[in-house]
């Protein structure tokens, strides 16, 4: 990001070289004025009203218009001698809690980037001090020909500065609130609280400029020679005279929309997360505890002939009275289909 101002932060006796970088940008679509008959650009010319002629930029200077209409010229040399100690310095004057700053004073936002390796250590020191104190720094600085007030705070691993309006630049809200006596009932407050709870919070990252997106579609359609998309018809509505009915309807609609948002997107995501799990659970017992059972079943299923001769050999070599040995051999072979042959052969051999 390109810096717009170079200077230093004055932190007591510590000086931190920094670069000022815009922290915000405008995505608004701007238009040009044209002549509707031939699409010619409409431009403004700088004309001297006394001589009635166009003047160049080199002929243009600054002046202050007094209350009586008199013009007081101000030259660049006059401005260069102003006693501004913050010409190239952001001078920290105090540290205060963040809630002491009125949001009405907030102006443009900037990032303060460390300028060079020597600024790394004091920059980090100031950042960590602001983090640990849970405070913001109030500073004075000069930008674009005037001294300004600023607030320094930590954003991630960087230090940001918000331009602040001077206290006397914030107008008092006199005559803004309705001057009619109004009584708010407790039930109305309860419904308003219910509506606030139903709407809940919002992630600011999910919000976007729908007007700009619609405007881009119109421009793209016009550029392609197509008909611009039409806006949907506005919902028909009348005057709501009953505040309680309006609040109840708002709460109901907010709950229905929240329920629709919570159920619609989660259904496919839950299926997508659950589908691979059963396959993993089916494979794990085969790989762990089920290895012995599968191995024995494979032996009995594929090689039943190999188990039968072992039974015959054991029956010939061992005594018929040793039933425990026969039980062990049958449990090791796990052949359930032929448990009767050894029982039939042994009684035939006894009478022989």
């Amino acid at each position: 990001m390109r810096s717009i101002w170079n200077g230093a932060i004055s932190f007591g006796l510590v000086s931190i070289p920094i670069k000022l970088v815009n922290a915000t940008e405008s995505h608004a679509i701007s238009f040009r004025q044209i002549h509707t008959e031939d699409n010619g650009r409409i431009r403004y010319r700088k004309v001297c009203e006394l001589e009635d002629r166009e003047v160049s930029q080199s002929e243009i200077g600054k002046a202050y218009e007094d209350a009586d209409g008199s013009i007081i010229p101000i030259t660049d040399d006059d401005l260069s001698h102003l006693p501004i100690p913050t010409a190239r310095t952001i001078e920290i004057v105090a540290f205060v809690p963040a809630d002491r700053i009125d949001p009405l004073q907030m102006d443009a936002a900037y990032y303060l980037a460390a300028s060079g390796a020597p600024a790394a250590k004091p920059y980090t020191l100031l950042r960590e001090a602001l983090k640990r104190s849970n405070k913001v720094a109030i500073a004075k600085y000069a930008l674009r020909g005037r001294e300004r007030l600023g607030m320094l705070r930590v954003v991630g691993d960087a230090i940001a500065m918000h331009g602040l309006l001077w206290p006397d630049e914030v107008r008092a809200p006199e005559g803004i609130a309705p001057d009619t006596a109004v009584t708010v009932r407790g039930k109305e407050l309860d419904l308003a609280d219910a509506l606030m709870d139903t709407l809940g919070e919002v992630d600011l990252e999910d919000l976007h400029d729908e007007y700009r997106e619609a405007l881009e579609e119109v421009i793209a359609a016009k550029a392609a020679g197509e008909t611009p998309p039409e806006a949907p018809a506005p919902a028909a509505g009348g005057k709501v005279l009953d505040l309680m009915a309006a609040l109840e309807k708002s709460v109901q609609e907010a709950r229905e929309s929240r329920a629709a948002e919570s159920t619609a997107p989660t259904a496919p995501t839950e299926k997508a997360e659950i589908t691979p799990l059963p396959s993993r659970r089916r494979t794990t017992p085969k790989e762990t505890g089920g290895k012995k059972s599968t191995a024995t079943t494979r032996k009995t299923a594929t090689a039943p002939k190999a188990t039968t001769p072992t039974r015959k050999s054991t029956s010939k070599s061992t005594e018929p009275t040793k039933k425990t040995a026969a039980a062990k051999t049958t449990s090791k072979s796990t052949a359930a289909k032929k448990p009767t042959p050894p029982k039939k052969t042994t009684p035939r051999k006894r009478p022989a």
Side-chain angles (χ1 to χ4, degrees):
M1 292 183 285
R2 186 176 61 87
S3 62
I4 61 173
W5 184 88
N6 295 332
I9 301 175
S10 177
F11 179 33
L13 298 178
V14 179
S15 181
I16 309 172
I18 57 95
K19 296 179 180 180
L20 200 66
V21 179
N22 280 321
T24 61
E25 58 184 1
S26 175
H27 293 164
I29 299 175
S30 59
F31 295 101
R32 302 288 188 184
Q33 290 186 334
I34 62 169
H35 187 201
T36 55
E37 293 184 1
D38 53 11
N39 292 342
R41 284 278 305 275
I42 302 299
R43 300 181 182 274
Y44 293 97
R45 296 180 179 181
K46 297 179 180 180
V47 177
C48 175
E49 62 179 13
L50 296 179
E51 299 182 8
D52 194 19
R53 68 175 182 89
E54 186 177 356
V55 296
S56 62
Q57 185 63 35
S58 60
E59 299 177 85
I60 299 175
K62 300 182 183 69
Y64 175 78
E65 185 175 359
D66 206 352
D68 58 359
S70 59
I71 300 297
I72 304 173
I74 302 295
T75 65
D76 292 338
D77 186 62
D78 296 332
L79 298 176
S80 63
H81 291 86
L82 288 176
I84 300 179
T86 56
R88 286 294 174 183
T89 304
I90 299 174
E91 181 183 359
I92 296 177
V93 296
F95 293 89
V96 299
D99 56 6
R100 288 271 304 276
I101 306 301
D102 189 347
L104 287 174
Q105 290 184 254
M106 293 290 187
D107 202 357
Y110 307 95
Y111 287 130
L112 304 181
S115 181
K121 182 66 179 287
Y123 185 96
T124 306
L125 172 65
L126 177 58
R127 183 191 66 196
E128 297 303 316
L130 289 172
K131 281 184 180 179
R132 191 167 68 172
S133 65
N134 291 323
K135 294 183 178 181
V136 296
I138 303 301
K140 296 170 67 177
Y141 66 101
L143 182 65
R144 298 186 179 99
R146 59 183 290 247
E147 190 174 45
R148 302 170 186 261
L149 194 63
M151 179 192 74
L152 277 64
R153 68 183 184 97
V154 178
V155 178
D157 293 332
I159 299 176
M161 182 175 69
H162 296 266
L164 299 178
L165 299 176
W166 296 99
D168 58 357
E169 292 180 320
V170 180
R171 301 172 62 183
E174 296 179 357
I176 303 300
D179 55 359
T180 306
V182 176
T183 302
V184 179
R185 293 179 293 174
K187 291 183 178 179
E188 294 171 342
L189 282 175
D190 293 339
L191 283 174
D193 292 340
L195 179 59
M196 293 169 62
D197 294 338
T198 305
L199 293 177
E201 298 181 357
V202 65
D203 187 359
L204 295 181
E205 297 293 334
D206 297 336
L207 302 179
H208 56 279
D209 189 351
E210 297 181 1
Y211 177 81
R212 179 174 59 87
E213 293 177 354
L215 189 57
E216 289 176 349
E217 293 180 0
V218 171
I219 295 174
K222 294 276 287 185
E226 302 174 356
T227 304
E230 295 184 359
K239 292 184 178 180
V240 180
L241 301 178
D242 190 352
L243 181 59
M244 288 290 292
L247 287 172
E248 291 176 353
K249 186 176 180 180
S250 300
V251 172
Q252 182 180 358
E253 291 179 354
R255 288 175 178 173
E256 291 176 355
S257 63
R258 284 290 182 182
E261 291 176 359
S262 60
T263 55
T266 52
T269 54
E270 288 179 357
K271 290 181 180 179
E273 292 178 358
I274 291 174
T275 45
L277 292 180
S279 60
R280 293 180 181 176
R281 291 178 180 175
R282 291 174 183 171
T283 55
T284 49
K286 291 181 181 180
E287 296 175 358
T288 56
K291 284 184 178 180
K292 292 182 181 180
S293 60
T294 52
T296 52
T297 52
R298 286 177 182 176
K299 288 180 181 180
T300 54
T302 54
K305 295 180 181 180
T307 55
T308 50
T310 55
R311 291 177 184 173
K312 291 180 181 180
S313 61
T314 52
S315 61
K316 291 180 181 180
S317 59
T318 57
E319 295 180 0
T321 57
K322 295 181 180 180
K323 295 180 180 181
T324 56
K328 290 181 180 179
T329 55
T330 54
S331 61
K332 290 181 180 180
S333 61
T334 65
K337 293 183 179 180
K338 297 180 180 180
T340 52
K343 292 181 180 180
K344 292 179 181 180
T345 53
T346 48
R348 290 178 181 177
K349 289 182 182 181
R350 287 177 183 175

